[in-house]
Structures are given as C-alpha cells and as structure tokens.
Amino acid sequence: MDAHFQPAIEAMHRADVEAFSGLVREDRSLATGRSSESHPTLLQCLVLEGKDLPAETQIAMAQALVDAGAPIDEPFVATGSAGNVVLADYLLERGAALDGKPDVLRGWTVLEEALYWGFPELVGVLLQRGARVRNLRIAAGVGDVARLRAFFDAHGGLRPEAGRINWPFGKLPVDQQSDAPQAVLDNALGYAAMGDHERATEELLDAGAAINAYPLGFHYRGTALHWAAVRGLRAMCDLLLDQGADPSLHDLTVQKTAEGWAAYANHHELAAHLASRAARRRSERSA
C-alpha cells in the first residue's frame, strides 16, 4: 500500500492494537482513504494480511477502522478470498451486506469468493447466516441439489435465474463473458467438482455439462478434473474419470495435466494415482 499507510500496517503486523488504533484516531483518512497500489484500503489489508492474528486483535483493529468511517462491503467480500471467518462475522455485525451490493465487484458475493478459493468453513458460516444460493454455480459449489434442479425448467433448459459467468477479479475479459447455457453449465460443473459434491456433479453431467470442457470464469483454464485434482479430491477425480474425463488434457493456461495440478498442490499420492489412471486409459485404447 502507499507509504501513508505503512506505519499502521507495521503496527498491524506487530499485533499492536494500541498503536494501530492511535494512528487511526489521529488520521481518519487511514480508514476512509484508498491506496493506489496493493490492497485498496487498510481494512481490506487487515482482512487479508491480518487473518492469522488473534481474533480479539483483528476485531479491535477492525473496530477502530469501522468507527472511523471505513467502508465495509468491499473488505467483507475479501474475507472470502482469505477464509477470514473472524472478520466476516464482525463485518456482518457492523452491517455488511450478506449477499453483496450491485456496485461492489459487479455483484460478486462473499459466498462465491469463499467457494472459488476453497474455504468450506466460511461457506458453512455464510449459509447459516442466510446467504442466498442465487445462481447455478453457487448451488453446485455448496452441493444443494434441490436448488440446482430449480434452475432448470420443465424441459431441462436453464432458467435465466441460473445466472451468467462471473469471477472474483472485477470486469471479465471479453473472451470470458457469457450467459450461454452451455457456458453456465460447464462453469457450474467446475464448482461442483472443486467443492467435492458428487451428486451435484452427476446432476450437471446428466443435464449436459461437458466433462472435458475448459469452463469460463476461472483464472486458470482447466477442466473439472484439473480443479478436483488441485483440491486433492481423489474420489471426485475417480468419479470424473469414470464418467469420461480425459486425464491427458492440458490446461489452457500453464499447459499441465490434472496430474501436474495435483503435484503442484503437493497432492503427490493423488498425482501418482492420476498417472496410473492415465496409463491404464492409454493401455485400454491401444489394446
């Protein structure tokens, strides 16, 4: 962040609540101002960089900022990318919009953020708080099969409420923008796979999701098998492979197979398993 914020950031890293709060009292622009680099606000910096501080320290620092006028909805969404349950709870108590505001990250919500980055504890907390399962990818990501089915009409087509492609990084590039039913289905399959929800995965495949698609709406363009592999989900990988997932496919971003994604995430037993399944597939095809 800009130099103006550095003394407060240093106090935060020292877990020095008194110094941090004193700086904010003396200069409220630390709470209300935006940085031209790195984290946009000091509260968002606290959410992301202070998540390993004791809960009482995080809350005291957040209170100092919010009492001084810090906007809360954008930092609340950021709790999802850090899995920061402590400050998610606190910011909700201070009035953060549980399902987001239209002008904050184009309608992207903290629930979607937590699903995207893989923080099931926070997902559970948000659902208990009443977060809405408001589109197909969320239904897939939380494994809510009943809600997932409700996004289809009587003829098996997607309803408009199923939503359109979105992601955590602000405006989508032109080549990622879509509300086409196939794109929305394939995107949801990625969420079901990386969320480890087998029934939702099967439902989406039965509905026409393409098992070897490279879904839009992800910063790394891998298949559902890639996303299950990087999360270390062996049973999900096997389900996808049994349904026809191709373990030889390379992602479109760094050109690695699902085995490579598993190895990158230090899921070495899964990587070896995927290598074995790929070899078996090659042998069966050549027989």
Side-chain angles (χ1 to χ4, degrees):
M1 296 183 71
D2 297 338
H4 175 61
F5 297 94
Q6 290 308 311
I9 293 172
E10 291 168 7
M12 179 191 74
H13 286 303
R14 296 195 307 271
D16 189 338
V17 173
E18 184 175 352
F20 183 92
S21 300
L23 288 165
V24 173
R25 282 194 302 271
E26 292 168 9
D27 182 0
R28 294 172 70 93
S29 71
L30 290 171
T32 60
R34 293 184 70 85
S35 175
S36 62
E37 58 185 37
S38 187
H39 307 302
T41 68
L42 188 55
L43 181 53
Q44 193 151 331
C45 180
L46 175 63
V47 164
L48 298 171
E49 293 189 20
K51 64 177 183 176
D52 295 325
L53 296 171
E56 60 272 17
T57 300
Q58 291 187 60
I59 291 170
M61 291 181 175
Q63 181 174 349
L65 291 168
V66 176
D67 287 350
I72 61 177
D73 286 301
E74 189 178 4
F76 174 61
V77 173
T79 64
S81 61
N84 193 328
V85 175
V86 170
L87 288 187
D89 266 337
Y90 176 75
L91 293 175
L92 282 170
E93 294 296 333
R94 294 300 301 264
L98 178 60
D99 291 311
K101 292 183 175 179
D103 60 341
V104 176
L105 295 183
R106 297 176 58 254
W108 187 256
T109 69
V110 66
L111 178 56
E112 288 167 302
E113 190 87 350
L115 288 169
Y116 190 95
W117 296 111
F119 292 106
E121 180 185 1
L122 181 54
V123 168
V125 168
L126 295 167
L127 291 174
Q128 289 176 352
R129 287 272 197 162
R132 287 194 305 128
V133 180
R134 64 191 184 93
N135 57 44
L136 188 69
R137 70 174 158 270
I138 296 177
V142 303
D144 188 338
V145 173
R147 188 72 183 106
L148 186 151
R149 290 173 177 167
F151 288 114
F152 293 86
D153 62 28
H155 304 290
L158 276 182
R159 299 181 185 276
E161 295 81 7
R164 59 182 300 126
I165 303 299
N166 203 348
W167 71 350
F169 308 106
K171 186 175 181 179
L172 283 154
V174 172
D175 64 354
Q176 289 259 21
Q177 296 175 17
S178 181
D179 58 0
Q182 190 64 54
V184 173
L185 270 174
D186 295 343
N187 173 264
L189 180 65
Y191 277 83
M194 66 187 187
D196 201 21
H197 298 299
E198 295 187 4
R199 286 187 60 207
T201 297
E202 291 167 343
E203 289 276 338
L204 289 165
L205 290 171
D206 288 344
I211 196 163
N212 288 315
Y214 295 98
L216 303 178
F218 294 94
H219 63 303
Y220 280 82
R221 294 289 305 283
T223 66
L225 182 62
H226 282 88
W227 286 108
V230 79
R231 295 279 170 93
L233 306 174
R234 177 166 173 160
M236 176 58 70
C237 287
D238 281 338
L239 183 153
L240 292 167
L241 290 164
D242 292 343
Q243 291 283 342
D246 186 347
S248 71
L249 293 179
H250 291 72
D251 71 83
L252 303 182
T253 307
V254 293
Q255 294 297 309
K256 291 187 178 296
T257 63
E259 174 195 345
W261 279 35
Y264 173 79
N266 293 318
H267 304 304
H268 296 296
E269 289 186 7
L270 177 57
H273 177 66
L274 289 168
S276 175
R277 289 291 305 255
R280 188 191 316 168
R281 180 187 174 97
R282 291 192 297 271
S283 176
E284 290 169 352
R285 285 185 166 183
S286 63

